[in-house]
Amino acid sequence: MLVVEGVNAYYGSAHVLQEVSFELGEQAVAIVGRNGMGKTTLCAAIMGMTPPRATGSVRFEGTELIGRASHKIAALGIGYVPQGRRLFPSLSVEEHLRMVAGRNGNSRWTIDRVYELFPRLAERKRNGGAQLSGGEQQMLAIARALVTDPRLLIMDEPSEGLAPTIIEMLIETFRTLEEEGLRILLIEQNLGVATSIAERQLVMIGGEIAAETTATALMGDAELQRRYLGVEPIAR
């Protein structure tokens, strides 16, 4: 579905991504790494955001994305949940969703359906983005991406700043989405979340994909966790 090949990205003269290559097919993929390793820059490069300036090739279902505008990339069927949620404080939950909801009557993800997925949003649909809790804001950011009716969902640090109970709820939601056929590219620093959602793990260090492993191997190897992520071992 997604082929990233030899992608380099630059902020001015700073060379952030260096020859990044990987493929995503039927299986969810998680890209893990510490802060400052280039994970968010990779999202920006895939989604056509500037900065950075990106070179190389990113193909979604065979269509080249490098050089395309972000809104045209989204229209091809890629939903994006950015780090920090990026909501509008003055817009209500309902207004956020109506602003981007697909006009296609055959869309799988309608506003009513995301309210079924996230009942709390239905209860808060008249509240502004700034009036929501962190967990509610993340639900809205995901719902906003879903109503564009994507086939691929890219999520950048969706667990950031959330309570463990909310994280568990989101993990179950992501599993449900994948079972329904939505493909997921997860960018995540929280190893527990990454390994709960995707068996295939790519480790990013210094703007490069430094290693590919599995959730099973990564969770079972304390030395790998320290070497690649600089974290103390996750309890099994």
Side-chain angles (χ1 to χ4, degrees):
M1 176 174 276
L2 183 72
V3 178
V4 176
E5 190 170 40
V7 168
N8 292 269
Y10 307 82
Y11 289 96
S13 60
H15 190 178
V16 179
L17 296 184
Q18 303 186 36
E19 295 294 321
V20 172
S21 299
F22 67 92
E23 296 182 3
L24 181 150
E26 296 297 308
Q27 187 180 25
V29 172
I31 297 179
V32 297
R34 290 169 291 169
N35 284 334
M37 294 296 105
K39 303 187 304 296
T40 294
T41 298
L42 175 61
C43 292
I46 293 172
M47 293 303 301
M49 297 178 179
T50 53
R53 175 174 61 86
T55 63
S57 177
V58 178
R59 299 186 298 279
F60 175 64
E61 297 181 331
T63 299
E64 180 61 57
L65 304 186
I66 295 292
R68 287 180 179 261
S70 294
H71 68 279
K72 293 184 178 180
I73 291 172
L76 291 172
I78 303 179
Y80 179 45
V81 181
Q83 185 178 22
R85 292 117 200 187
R86 303 290 182 91
L87 302 178
F88 296 96
S90 62
L91 294 185
S92 69
V93 168
E94 183 89 1
E95 288 168 336
H96 273 91
L97 299 178
R98 291 196 179 281
M99 181 172 61
V100 297
R103 303 300 192 268
N104 184 349
N106 296 322
S107 295
R108 293 177 302 167
W109 288 99
T110 62
I111 292 176
D112 287 342
R113 191 171 176 211
V114 296
Y115 282 155
E116 291 175 6
L117 184 67
F118 298 117
R120 184 61 177 160
L121 292 183
E123 298 171 6
R124 305 275 277 165
K125 64 182 179 182
R126 291 184 176 84
N127 290 84
Q131 298 174 310
L132 305 178
S133 68
E136 291 166 347
Q137 289 180 5
Q138 190 62 68
M139 293 176 204
L140 179 54
I142 295 166
R144 180 180 58 183
L146 288 176
V147 294
T148 66
D149 204 29
R151 296 183 298 284
L152 171 64
L153 186 63
I154 299 175
M155 295 182 290
D156 189 2
E157 304 279 6
S159 72
E160 185 178 54
L162 299 184
T165 54
I166 300 298
I167 291 174
E168 286 299 318
M169 183 275 292
L170 288 178
I171 288 172
E172 289 304 313
T173 299
F174 299 150
R175 288 172 176 164
T176 298
L177 294 175
E178 189 175 23
E179 287 171 2
E180 294 190 9
L182 185 64
R183 300 295 165 245
I184 293 176
L185 176 61
L186 175 68
I187 311 298
E188 186 57 78
Q189 188 177 357
N190 185 318
L191 188 58
V193 174
T195 54
S196 294
I197 294 171
E199 178 62 15
R200 187 175 170 212
Q201 302 281 314
L202 305 180
V203 181
M204 180 167 274
I205 300 176
E208 300 178 313
I209 301 296
E212 177 170 347
T213 185
T214 65
T216 303
L218 196 52
M219 290 299 285
D221 192 327
E223 180 55 33
L224 277 182
Q225 294 177 32
R226 290 193 186 96
R227 187 193 318 161
Y228 290 144
L229 304 171
V231 298
E232 289 304 309
I234 301 293
R236 298 176 67 183

